[in-house]
Amino acid sequence: MAMARRGFIRIVGGGVVLAAAGAVAAPRLDAMPAEAVEGWNGPSAEVADIRRRALAWAILAPNPHNLQSWKVDLREPGVATLYVDRARLLPHTDPHSRQILIGHGAFLELLSLAAGAEGHRVEIETFPEGAFDARDVDDRPVARIRFVKGPAMRADPLHAQIPRRRTTKTAFDGRPVSAADAAALAAAVAGAPGIAFAAAVEPDRVATLRRVASAGSELEMRTPRTLKESIDVARIGAAEIARHRDGISLHGPMMWALRHAGLMTPEKALTPGTMAFQGGLDYAMKGYASAASFGWLSTDDNSRAAQIAAGRAYARLALAASARGVAIQPHSQTLQEYPEMAGLFADMRRETGTADARTLQMFFRLGYAAEAAPSPRRPAGSFVVA
């Protein structure tokens, strides 16, 4: 089997190498479409409604699989009502929509920062019709947000970081996060009720956390239904990215070469033993190998309100990281609540020192890296309920 595979690579490899060589010579080939990332410019000057202006910044919030699972009803004057877009869930890797709710918390934090920067405060009532069941989400609102003009409102400095915030998916440079930068991240979430932030930079502890986290990524990839959930939202190539403007973006000269050689397709990415599958696994492991520090957030409990609070805290932490030049990337695999992950979930709780009464909500690598590119966003108007 190994000989056959090597022979196969030799047969098609020449074409791949030639295509890749030509592709690399054209660095803009299969580039991120400009329209897919235009949202990072914020609202246009023609948008006058403060709710729509704030919404244009809020959709830049970090969120699981870049699904952008937000719906906003603006039909009540001066109010925005936030819902879960139940067509954009992760039933296999996030069966109780805990991570989806964290993404809604991040949205609310950016919305609040954006409104404040334009002289408005927001009065946020979470779950005005009652909180979701612990195991499911429904059509009730996540939050009702009232915008109030406040002449004494001042912009939070973190607002300026919204268009600069990135999730860094490439390799880090191997330096652990500095004590000063870790302290700045902690300060960004200090005072948030029920939220605790911690980080690890000690080599032995980082190595242990890396082993657990890496095992979680590999387990997710080797569990067919959870891998398929990611592949289903993979947007391969500039044309797909432009069409969807969400999900997991795969593009660039090498990706173009592999697609045109027939080596990168959703079917091959789902099949262990293929170059596409192994390349995805190697990419994830390379990211872990370059991490010299990790951080995490925990909450007093796992209520829906706590999940929202965790999202708001993570958004602030990510913006503070941007301000300090710190690279950050969530690694949520070991926190996922499907049966096969239970053992690694327990290992991660133990290795992070998370007490039995608390909930580990976010785990992420921290460090330093080259500036990352922004992720696609759908047009702001597509989130609005007519």
CSV table of all heavy atoms in Angstrom, one decimal, residues 53-76:
chain,number,residue,atom,x,y,z
A,53,ARG,N,-25.1,50.7,12.4
A,53,ARG,CA,-23.6,51.0,12.5
A,53,ARG,C,-23.0,50.0,13.5
A,53,ARG,O,-21.9,49.5,13.2
A,53,ARG,CB,-23.4,52.4,12.8
A,53,ARG,CG,-23.9,53.4,11.8
A,53,ARG,CD,-23.5,54.9,12.1
A,53,ARG,NE,-22.1,55.0,12.1
A,53,ARG,CZ,-21.3,55.2,11.0
A,53,ARG,NH1,-21.9,55.1,9.8
A,53,ARG,NH2,-20.0,55.3,11.1
A,54,ALA,N,-23.6,49.8,14.6
A,54,ALA,CA,-23.0,48.9,15.6
A,54,ALA,C,-23.0,47.5,15.1
A,54,ALA,O,-22.1,46.7,15.3
A,54,ALA,CB,-23.8,49.0,16.9
A,55,LEU,N,-24.1,47.1,14.4
A,55,LEU,CA,-24.2,45.8,13.8
A,55,LEU,C,-23.0,45.5,12.9
A,55,LEU,O,-22.4,44.4,12.9
A,55,LEU,CB,-25.5,45.6,13.1
A,55,LEU,CG,-25.6,44.3,12.2
A,55,LEU,CD1,-25.6,43.1,13.1
A,55,LEU,CD2,-26.9,44.4,11.4
A,56,ALA,N,-22.6,46.5,12.1
A,56,ALA,CA,-21.5,46.3,11.1
A,56,ALA,C,-20.2,46.0,11.8
A,56,ALA,O,-19.4,45.3,11.2
A,56,ALA,CB,-21.4,47.6,10.3
A,57,TRP,N,-20.0,46.5,13.0
A,57,TRP,CA,-18.8,46.1,13.8
A,57,TRP,C,-19.0,44.8,14.5
A,57,TRP,O,-18.1,44.0,14.6
A,57,TRP,CB,-18.5,47.2,14.8
A,57,TRP,CG,-18.0,48.5,14.2
A,57,TRP,CD1,-18.6,49.7,14.3
A,57,TRP,CD2,-16.8,48.7,13.4
A,57,TRP,NE1,-17.8,50.6,13.6
A,57,TRP,CE2,-16.7,50.0,13.1
A,57,TRP,CE3,-15.8,47.8,12.9
A,57,TRP,CZ2,-15.7,50.6,12.3
A,57,TRP,CZ3,-14.8,48.3,12.2
A,57,TRP,CH2,-14.7,49.7,11.8
A,58,ALA,N,-20.2,44.5,15.0
A,58,ALA,CA,-20.5,43.3,15.8
A,58,ALA,C,-20.3,42.1,15.0
A,58,ALA,O,-19.9,41.0,15.6
A,58,ALA,CB,-21.9,43.4,16.4
A,59,ILE,N,-20.6,42.1,13.7
A,59,ILE,CA,-20.4,40.9,12.9
A,59,ILE,C,-18.9,40.5,12.7
A,59,ILE,O,-18.7,39.4,12.2
A,59,ILE,CB,-21.1,41.0,11.5
A,59,ILE,CG1,-20.4,42.1,10.7
A,59,ILE,CG2,-22.6,41.2,11.7
A,59,ILE,CD1,-20.9,42.1,9.3
A,60,LEU,N,-18.0,41.3,13.2
A,60,LEU,CA,-16.6,40.9,13.1
A,60,LEU,C,-16.2,40.1,14.4
A,60,LEU,O,-15.0,39.8,14.5
A,60,LEU,CB,-15.7,42.2,13.0
A,60,LEU,CG,-16.1,43.1,11.8
A,60,LEU,CD1,-15.1,44.3,11.8
A,60,LEU,CD2,-16.0,42.3,10.5
A,61,ALA,N,-17.1,39.8,15.2
A,61,ALA,CA,-16.8,39.0,16.4
A,61,ALA,C,-16.3,37.6,16.1
A,61,ALA,O,-16.7,37.0,15.1
A,61,ALA,CB,-18.1,38.9,17.3
A,62,PRO,N,-15.4,37.1,16.9
A,62,PRO,CA,-15.0,35.7,16.7
A,62,PRO,C,-16.2,34.8,17.0
A,62,PRO,O,-17.0,35.0,17.9
A,62,PRO,CB,-13.9,35.5,17.8
A,62,PRO,CG,-14.1,36.6,18.8
A,62,PRO,CD,-14.7,37.7,18.1
A,63,ASN,N,-16.2,33.7,16.3
A,63,ASN,CA,-17.4,32.8,16.4
A,63,ASN,C,-17.0,31.4,15.8
A,63,ASN,O,-16.1,31.3,15.0
A,63,ASN,CB,-18.6,33.3,15.7
A,63,ASN,CG,-18.4,33.4,14.2
A,63,ASN,OD1,-18.9,32.6,13.4
A,63,ASN,ND2,-17.7,34.5,13.7
A,64,PRO,N,-17.6,30.3,16.3
A,64,PRO,CA,-17.2,29.0,16.0
A,64,PRO,C,-17.4,28.7,14.5
A,64,PRO,O,-18.4,28.9,13.9
A,64,PRO,CB,-18.0,28.1,16.9
A,64,PRO,CG,-19.2,28.9,17.3
A,64,PRO,CD,-18.7,30.3,17.3
A,65,HIS,N,-16.3,28.1,13.9
A,65,HIS,CA,-16.3,27.7,12.5
A,65,HIS,C,-16.7,28.9,11.5
A,65,HIS,O,-17.0,28.7,10.4
A,65,HIS,CB,-17.3,26.6,12.2
A,65,HIS,CG,-16.7,25.2,12.5
A,65,HIS,ND1,-15.9,25.0,13.6
A,65,HIS,CD2,-16.8,24.0,11.9
A,65,HIS,CE1,-15.5,23.7,13.6
A,65,HIS,NE2,-16.1,23.1,12.6
A,66,ASN,N,-16.6,30.1,12.1
A,66,ASN,CA,-17.0,31.3,11.3
A,66,ASN,C,-18.4,31.1,10.7
A,66,ASN,O,-18.6,31.6,9.5
A,66,ASN,CB,-15.9,31.6,10.2
A,66,ASN,CG,-16.1,33.0,9.6
A,66,ASN,OD1,-16.6,33.9,10.3
A,66,ASN,ND2,-15.7,33.1,8.3
A,67,LEU,N,-19.3,30.5,11.4
A,67,LEU,CA,-20.6,30.3,10.9
A,67,LEU,C,-21.5,31.6,10.9
A,67,LEU,O,-22.4,31.7,10.2
A,67,LEU,CB,-21.3,29.2,11.8
A,67,LEU,CG,-20.9,27.8,11.5
A,67,LEU,CD1,-21.7,26.9,12.4
A,67,LEU,CD2,-21.1,27.4,10.1
A,68,GLN,N,-21.1,32.5,11.8
A,68,GLN,CA,-21.8,33.8,11.9
A,68,GLN,C,-23.3,33.5,12.2
A,68,GLN,O,-24.2,34.0,11.5
A,68,GLN,CB,-21.6,34.6,10.7
A,68,GLN,CG,-20.1,34.8,10.3
A,68,GLN,CD,-19.9,35.3,8.9
A,68,GLN,OE1,-20.6,36.2,8.4
A,68,GLN,NE2,-18.9,34.8,8.2
A,69,SER,N,-23.6,32.8,13.3
A,69,SER,CA,-24.9,32.3,13.6
A,69,SER,C,-25.8,33.4,14.3
A,69,SER,O,-26.4,33.1,15.3
A,69,SER,CB,-24.8,31.1,14.5
A,69,SER,OG,-24.0,30.1,13.9
A,70,TRP,N,-25.8,34.6,13.7
A,70,TRP,CA,-26.6,35.7,14.4
A,70,TRP,C,-27.7,36.1,13.4
A,70,TRP,O,-27.6,36.2,12.2
A,70,TRP,CB,-25.6,36.9,14.6
A,70,TRP,CG,-24.4,36.6,15.3
A,70,TRP,CD1,-24.2,36.0,16.5
A,70,TRP,CD2,-23.0,36.7,14.8
A,70,TRP,NE1,-22.9,35.9,16.8
A,70,TRP,CE2,-22.1,36.3,15.8
A,70,TRP,CE3,-22.5,37.2,13.6
A,70,TRP,CZ2,-20.7,36.4,15.6
A,70,TRP,CZ3,-21.1,37.3,13.4
A,70,TRP,CH2,-20.3,36.9,14.4
A,71,LYS,N,-28.9,36.4,14.1
A,71,LYS,CA,-30.0,37.1,13.4
A,71,LYS,C,-30.4,38.2,14.3
A,71,LYS,O,-30.5,38.1,15.5
A,71,LYS,CB,-31.2,36.1,13.2
A,71,LYS,CG,-30.9,35.0,12.2
A,71,LYS,CD,-32.2,34.3,11.8
A,71,LYS,CE,-33.0,33.8,13.0
A,71,LYS,NZ,-34.2,33.0,12.5
A,72,VAL,N,-30.7,39.4,13.6
A,72,VAL,CA,-31.0,40.6,14.4
A,72,VAL,C,-32.3,41.2,13.8
A,72,VAL,O,-32.4,41.5,12.6
A,72,VAL,CB,-29.8,41.6,14.3
A,72,VAL,CG1,-30.2,42.8,15.2
A,72,VAL,CG2,-28.5,41.0,14.8
A,73,ASP,N,-33.2,41.4,14.7
A,73,ASP,CA,-34.5,42.0,14.4
A,73,ASP,C,-34.5,43.5,14.7
A,73,ASP,O,-34.3,43.8,15.9
A,73,ASP,CB,-35.6,41.3,15.1
A,73,ASP,CG,-37.0,41.7,14.7
A,73,ASP,OD1,-37.2,42.8,14.1
A,73,ASP,OD2,-38.0,40.9,14.9
A,74,LEU,N,-34.6,44.3,13.7
A,74,LEU,CA,-34.6,45.8,14.0
A,74,LEU,C,-35.9,46.5,13.8
A,74,LEU,O,-36.0,47.7,13.7
A,74,LEU,CB,-33.6,46.4,13.0
A,74,LEU,CG,-32.1,45.9,13.1
A,74,LEU,CD1,-31.2,46.7,12.0
A,74,LEU,CD2,-31.5,46.2,14.5
A,75,ARG,N,-37.0,45.7,13.8
A,75,ARG,CA,-38.3,46.3,13.5
A,75,ARG,C,-38.8,47.2,14.7
A,75,ARG,O,-39.6,48.1,14.4
A,75,ARG,CB,-39.3,45.2,13.2
A,75,ARG,CG,-39.0,44.5,11.8
A,75,ARG,CD,-39.9,43.3,11.6
A,75,ARG,NE,-39.6,42.2,12.4
A,75,ARG,CZ,-40.1,41.0,12.3
A,75,ARG,NH1,-41.0,40.8,11.3
A,75,ARG,NH2,-39.8,40.0,13.1
A,76,GLU,N,-38.3,47.0,15.9
A,76,GLU,CA,-38.7,47.8,17.0
A,76,GLU,C,-37.8,49.0,17.0
A,76,GLU,O,-36.6,48.9,17.2
A,76,GLU,CB,-38.7,47.1,18.3
A,76,GLU,CG,-39.1,47.9,19.5
A,76,GLU,CD,-39.0,47.1,20.8
A,76,GLU,OE1,-38.8,45.9,20.8
A,76,GLU,OE2,-39.3,47.8,21.9
